[in-house]
Amino acid sequence: MKYELVIGLETHVELSTESKIFCSCGGHAAADEPNDCVCPACCGMPGMLPVMNKRVVELAVTAGLMLNCHINRYTTFDKKNYYYPDLPCAYQITQLNHPICTDGCVTVKTSEGSRDIRIKQIHMEEDAGKLVHEGNSSYVDFNRTSVPLIEIVTQPDFRSAEEVVTYLAKLRSMFRSGGISECQEGAMRCDVNISVRPEGSEEFGVRTEIKNMSSFEAIERAIRYEAQRHMDALEFELEELVQETRRFDEVSGKTFAMRNKETEADYRYFPDANLMPIIIDDEWLEQIKANKPVAVDEKAEDYRAAGIVEKDIATLLSDHKISRLLDDTVALGCDAKTAASWILTDCAGILRKDGKSFDDLVVTPEKLATIIKMVEDGTINRGAGKKVLIAVVEQDVDPVAFCKEQGLDRKVDTAMIDEVIDRVIAENPKAVEDFRGGKAKALQALFGACMRELKGAGDPAMIKEKLEAKLA
Ligand code: ADP
Ligand code: MG
Ligand code: ZN
């Protein structure tokens, strides 16, 4: 029989905040030694009270906006009770009843086509500490206790391991570019829920959950192993599938049962009376929206709409610094396609000639926009613009001052160009006569005389056009 794989993911992502979720300790990244970043609140001393970190809410909402979620304006915390030595309060503060974001959707594109993955919810919670085992002793390190997490729960919409890994890579790239999380090793951890069903069947099969994996490679291997185990169980009736929690062993490449799946009742959830409900009003939401960085996907769309070619879009999206330079230059009023060409052709060319890369690029959006605008409004011509850009890239000069110094900045208005052309025509009757008599070369002499008078300022094509019109 042919089977279809069904997968749902629960992904924990550690947020890039300066402090923990309910106290002012720095995150565990700030720690050198075990228990460096710990205070009475986060190590669960009696009477401690949590104080909500506002930044956590903002990052969770930003993640929700990126994943097209509904943002719940009223959101609350609950206590999830269980006993474990790395959990000093014997409960974890999380969200059950009113999670911050619900009903999102994200599209994943794989070799098989694209699929919409529905996001069931995103909730905020605190991380637990860590146990360190040495010989016959176990130690507890509370540095990670109360580090803020968001958990992103999908509907069971994935149909292959490739879709899962593509989704995770997309989240990682969005969250990195959006300042939500660095998603470094261990900061993005996944629980993978798997079941299989006969192809064409509408009903879901029994699912198992593989806990706490962080490498994409392990996730892919675990899915393949577990899917095969389910199919064999159904096909040959070797074992009965039960809903349970399993762990993946990277050495053997197999999954092992850890425990029967707990149900919600096992955790005796109840509302956390120490934390007030959070109300997200219009003003706050608008502010978060305004600060939301554009996600990679949307950005590609914007670049495409601006007429930038695919190859250039790929270059821009592969380098955060370069796409940022472009976006900031556009924000200063420049056309996106024009600015992209100045960056990807002109700047890149100068850097290449000097044996440098984009990493060495010092041009600010302000300077680039100044050059582009001077060229666009005819203050200098394109060739002069390139000269200015070289000086900016190589010596970080001020473009306006440089133009003045080099005598490039003569703002040539059309009246002045007309005047010069008229004068050149009046002063060169012989050349004018030759041109009218059919000598094409004479035009070049007149044009050269105009350009000399104008000292290279003005757009050559426009000057030539005007000269021809006046001679005709
Ligand atoms: P629980 O409350 O037991 O954790 P949820 O409904 O929250 O269950 O689902 C947890 C995860 O399991 C979700 O990501 C969901 O998509 C996934 N899931 C649920 N049913 C199945 C199934 N039959 N096969 C695969 N994944 C499933
Ligand atoms: Mg769950
Ligand atoms: Zn603390």
Side-chain angles (χ1 to χ4, degrees), residues 16-76:
S16 300
T17 53
E18 280 176 19
S19 51
K20 292 185 176 182
I21 184 169
F22 300 122
C23 64
S24 51
C25 293
H28 67 123
D32 291 325
E33 299 284 327
N35 298 308
D36 253 3
C37 296
V38 171
C39 72
C42 61
C43 71
M45 292 291 141
M48 71 85 185
L49 286 172
V51 177
M52 184 67 207
N53 178 343
K54 189 178 175 192
R55 189 73 191 135
V56 172
V57 179
E58 295 177 343
L59 292 181
V61 169
T62 306
L65 293 170
M66 286 177 154
L67 302 180
N68 308 299
C69 289
H70 174 74
I71 309 299
N72 294 312
R73 306 305 194 86
Y74 174 90
T75 186
T76 58

Side-chain angles (χ1 to χ4, degrees), residues 48 56 77 149 169 215 414 433 446:
M48 71 85 185
V56 172
F77 285 96
L149 303 175
S215 101
T414 41
E433 205 175 299
L446 290 166

Side-chain angles (χ1 to χ4, degrees), residues 10 151 153 207 209 261:
E10 294 159 288
E151 178 174 342
V153 185
R207 76 168 135 129
E209 177 179 23
K261 171 94 184 124

Side-chain angles (χ1 to χ4, degrees), residues 5-10 96 118 120-121 151-159 191-196 203-209 243 261-264:
L5 187 52
V6 173
I7 302 170
L9 291 190
E10 294 159 288
L96 177 76
R118 290 167 300 155
K120 183 177 169 193
Q121 68 178 56
E151 178 174 342
I152 303 142
V153 185
T154 75
Q155 297 288 359
D157 288 345
F158 298 95
R159 295 293 175 269
D191 301 339
V192 181
N193 296 271
I194 299 187
S195 63
V196 302
E203 261 165 65
F204 287 138
V206 173
R207 76 168 135 129
T208 53
E209 177 179 23
Q243 187 173 341
K261 171 94 184 124
E262 311 78 358
T263 63
E264 214 171 281

Side-chain angles (χ1 to χ4, degrees), residues 239-252:
E239 57 179 328
E240 194 194 348
L241 288 175
V242 287
Q243 187 173 341
E244 63 186 359
T245 302
R246 299 177 72 86
R247 94 188 147 76
F248 178 64
D249 175 54
E250 295 201 22
V251 178
S252 63

